[in-house]
Amino acid sequence: MSTVLVDLMQNDSASNGDCVNNGDCDSDYDFSKLGDKPKHLNMERQRSFDERSLVEASPGHTPWAENGQRHMDLDNLFSPSRRSSFNTPRSICGFEPHPMFAEAWESLRKTMVYFRGQPVGTIAALDNSDEKLNYDQVFVRDFVPSALAFLMNGEPEIVKNFLLKTLRLQSWEKKIDRFQLGEGVMPASFKVLHDPVRNTETLMADFGESAIGRVAPVDSGFWWIILLRAYTKSTGDTSLAEMPDCQKGMRLILALCLSEEIQALFFMALRCALVLIKQDAQGKELVERIVKRLHALSFHMRSYFWLDLKQLNDIYRYKTEEYSHTAVNKFNVIPDSLPEWVFDFMPTYGGYFIGNVGPSNMDFRWFCLGNCIAILSSLATLEQSMAIMDLIESRWEELVGDMPVKVCYPAIEGHDWKIITGCDPKNTRWMLLWLLTAACIKVGRPQIARRAIEVAELRLAKDGWPEYYDGKSGRYVGKQARKHQTWSIAGYLVAKMMLEDPSHLGMIALEEDKQMKSIVKRSSSWTF
């Protein structure tokens, strides 16, 4: 059975270990540092486009109760017709941003890549300390938080150009060491090549043939679909998604992956595709396959991958070698194989989706990406989402520490780390701040995200926006971390803008499909 909640944000191999990813300021703060003012969009958001997605919160509305029963009231929220753009001295909520916010925007704009006069993406990092690495390229997954920042700031042009350019690259012939890749594979990255003699520019795509480790991109197509929906939700412009080329691109991605993927990111991409695919002669059959797979994934994940105190105790008391469909221990997990750390790590109130389930084997590690995406895609039920937040609050030092937030806990160390990662020092930790913020807002507990952002603001800019941090609590800049990492910069911006205007959450989050209600329920002894 394939790994489910692994982190696929930077390296295609499994990440293991620590990771990184509001103060008021003077009222005369100079917003000119944000660079060019965004172009205002005159188009109305089309609420009818996506009734199955999360209905956004009004900037002035507080969608969480005051009695501790805090969660997003999806039934009473509405889709706003205006956006929050940071081109005025005061924000819409009356708060001044942290000075680091303007510095982040200035840094992000320096990473922009242009092709024939049009912005098409952002490079991975501005750190040019080692020319032979590929940080000067535009990575699909790394561009996602940059794209969200530009959309939230009313600048959709760069996002549209990126989607179209990568779609064009998808049609290229793709080989790695003479092996032909599937037709639907999206590039891992691309760069713009300038020919000063001929005065021409061309795009060069990397499908893994020149990547570190020669690893083909697994998740680029998923992120492309998710970003296409974010663009459509933000602008209200459905014409891009309805283009025949975009429809074909989505069909190719899904045809490539519908056969065997079991993963939270895949679940979210399917949900986004469900509202983007046209139900014409070609799309109808695909939609039926998507719906069937979503129901199966929802059942499978909620039944077998969810872990809380009650479930942990049940596993601890499992009987082994059970036979027939009535077996309780369906995967024949040996209780003695449970790691000692998980018993102390599991709080009384809280839970999470574990990393992997297989015959006689369960990966009990915490993966931040998978759990946050499970919340945003509504793969997690409301109760499970609340439990994930309970876990983060209960285990703050272990999961957040001095630089939020760990992508994986606990870190693989020693012999296991050497075998699984090949002793790769970069396969350790880095930042998922924007995903944590989005998940917190959706669940109605923004104070968790605000606390994490305040931790990041103490050091992130002073340390030069590093790629990742080392140490159990993230106290040290990573040994091989590149500075001025675009992902770190954009992730911080997206987190700040979502906290200021929760309606931005609608770009990346989806409300629960009414047909996929909870299959498994948490113990009735759990209260909130």
Side-chain angles (χ1 to χ4, degrees):
M1 193 170 297
S2 58
T3 300
V4 176
L5 293 172
V6 298
D7 171 63
L8 291 171
M9 304 298 291
Q10 182 177 22
N11 297 318
D12 285 304
S13 51
S15 296
N16 302 291
D18 308 332
C19 70
V20 294
N21 186 37
N22 294 346
D24 295 334
C25 62
D26 189 78
S27 60
D28 294 326
Y29 187 76
D30 183 10
F31 265 68
S32 63
K33 295 180 181 179
L34 299 187
D36 296 334
K37 295 181 179 180
K39 299 177 181 179
H40 290 283
L41 302 181
N42 295 320
M43 61 188 74
E44 287 287 323
R45 295 185 189 227
Q46 300 180 12
R47 177 181 170 85
S48 61
F49 159 68
D50 181 9
E51 291 294 341
R52 284 167 289 187
S53 66
L54 180 74
V55 187
E56 300 99 330
S58 165
H61 176 64
T62 304
W64 35 83
E66 297 178 356
N67 59 358
Q69 303 279 345
R70 301 182 233 190
H71 57 83
M72 189 69 79
D73 185 1
L74 300 182
D75 295 330
N76 296 322
L77 303 182
F78 63 90
S79 178
S81 60
R82 67 179 185 272
R83 67 173 61 252
S84 167
S85 56
F86 290 79
N87 62 341
T88 57
R90 289 275 183 178
S91 67
I92 57 174
C93 297
F95 295 102
E96 299 295 344
H98 194 281
M100 196 170 90
F101 184 82
E103 179 183 337
W105 262 115
E106 184 178 355
S107 298
L108 180 61
R109 295 196 186 281
K110 290 179 181 179
T111 68
M112 293 174 66
V113 174
Y114 291 82
F115 178 67
R116 298 176 183 175
Q118 294 185 323
V120 293
T122 53
I123 60 174
L126 284 172
D127 185 2
N128 297 318
S129 58
D130 197 333
E131 296 274 334
K132 64 179 179 290
L133 293 181
N134 54 358
Y135 286 81
D136 61 342
Q137 298 193 27
V138 179
F139 283 82
V140 173
R141 65 177 72 95
D142 284 27
F143 179 68
V144 171
S146 296
L148 294 176
F150 286 119
L151 288 174
M152 292 177 185
N153 205 44
E155 303 176 72
E157 180 188 8
I158 187 174
V159 182
K160 183 176 182 179
N161 293 339
F162 171 86
L163 289 167
L164 290 173
K165 290 296 181 289
T166 47
L167 181 66
R168 177 187 170 194
L169 296 174
Q170 183 196 38
S171 64
W172 285 16
E173 184 180 14
K174 300 172 278 287
K175 288 185 178 181
I176 296 181
D177 293 337
R178 299 185 181 182
F179 285 97
Q180 187 79 32
L181 299 182
E183 190 179 4
V185 173
M186 280 284 183
S189 63
F190 67 85
K191 68 184 302 182
V192 178
L193 298 180
H194 303 269
D195 187 338
V197 177
R198 298 181 181 180
N199 195 25
T200 59
E201 291 182 339
T202 56
L203 290 177
M204 183 181 73
D206 179 14
F207 293 93
E209 68 274 19
S210 61
I212 298 173
R214 299 300 187 269
V215 181
V218 176
D219 60 327
S220 294
F222 300 157
W223 284 118
W224 189 89
I225 292 175
I226 292 169
L227 186 55
L228 177 61
R229 176 188 171 271
Y231 170 85
T232 308
K233 283 288 292 181
S234 174
T235 64
D237 176 17
T238 62
S239 62
L240 179 62
E242 292 174 352
M243 286 174 52
D245 287 346
C246 280
Q247 293 289 311
K248 179 182 178 181
M250 283 188 286
R251 290 196 298 268
L252 290 174
I253 293 169
L254 296 174
L256 189 68
C257 304
L258 271 170
S259 59
E260 58 187 26
E261 283 289 333
I262 305 176
Q263 191 195 70
L265 185 62
F266 178 52
F267 183 91
M268 187 167 188
L270 286 181
R271 293 227 40 209
C272 291
L274 189 62
V275 297
L276 295 170
I277 293 287
K278 296 172 66 175
Q279 296 204 37
D280 51 18
Q282 292 180 300
K284 187 176 181 181
E285 181 182 354
L286 184 58
V287 167
E288 292 175 354
R289 291 180 63 192
I290 291 173
V291 171
K292 184 177 180 180
R293 178 58 64 87
L294 283 171
H295 280 81
L297 278 174
S298 179
F299 169 81
H300 194 85
M301 293 292 297
R302 294 175 182 180
S303 299
Y304 303 132
F305 286 79
W306 179 254
L307 187 71
D308 55 28
L309 187 63
K310 180 182 182 302
Q311 179 67 6
L312 180 60
N313 198 77
D314 289 344
I315 296 172
Y316 178 70
R317 292 170 50 81
Y318 269 168
K319 296 179 180 179
T320 59
E321 297 184 357
E322 293 183 299
Y323 179 75
S324 85
H325 65 278
T326 60
V328 175
N329 187 0
K330 291 181 171 58
F331 299 102
N332 197 40
V333 176
I334 309 299
D336 289 344
S337 69
L338 272 64
E340 289 294 329
W341 65 264
V342 74
F343 294 100
D344 294 329
F345 179 70
M346 182 62 68
T348 303
Y349 305 108
Y352 63 104
F353 288 102
I354 63 175
N356 187 35
V357 174
S360 300
N361 179 46
M362 300 182 79
D363 184 351
F364 290 94
R365 286 177 296 163
W366 152 269
F367 288 93
C368 183
L369 171 64
N371 278 276
C372 286
I373 287 182
I375 292 174
L376 295 173
S377 64
S378 289
L379 171 59
T381 66
L382 175 60
E383 287 187 330
Q384 288 172 337
S385 299
M386 296 291 284
I388 292 170
M389 291 297 144
D390 289 342
L391 177 78
I392 293 173
E393 284 195 311
S394 298
R395 297 293 177 257
W396 186 264
E397 292 304 318
E398 293 93 332
L399 300 181
V400 179
D402 293 320
M403 183 52 67
V405 59
K406 290 184 181 178
V407 69
C408 172
Y409 179 87
I412 292 182
E413 298 177 335
H415 186 65
D416 289 340
W417 173 77
K418 292 179 181 179
I419 293 175
I420 294 175
T421 73
C423 297
D424 185 355
K426 295 290 289 297
N427 237 343
T428 50
R429 320 120 170 105
W430 62 307
M431 175 179 288
L432 290 174
L433 188 58
W434 73 271
L435 277 165
L436 174 65
T437 300
C440 291
I441 294 173
K442 187 185 177 193
V443 178
R445 293 167 73 170
Q447 72 280 2
I448 298 177
R450 189 172 294 112
R451 182 182 175 190
I453 290 173
E454 288 173 352
V455 171
E457 286 177 336
L458 293 175
R459 293 178 50 203
L460 194 53
K462 294 179 181 178
D463 291 341
W465 306 95
E467 183 179 7
Y468 68 94
Y469 282 77
D470 281 338
K472 289 185 177 180
S473 64
R475 294 180 63 192
Y476 306 98
V477 175
K479 184 182 297 184
Q480 294 194 26
R482 291 301 181 271
K483 297 291 187 72
H484 306 289
Q485 185 79 9
T486 306
W487 175 275
S488 301
I489 296 167
Y492 167 73
L493 288 171
V494 171
K496 290 287 283 189
M497 286 191 279
M498 276 195 292
L499 270 183
E500 168 151 318
D501 184 354
S503 71
H504 290 315
L505 183 64
M507 296 183 201
I508 199 67
L510 298 128
E511 66 176 328
E512 184 174 10
D513 191 313
K514 304 305 179 184
Q515 296 181 355
M516 290 191 293
K517 284 293 186 182
S518 176
I519 298 171
V520 293
K521 294 184 179 296
R522 295 171 60 197
S523 170
S524 59
S525 64
W526 287 33
T527 58
F528 296 93

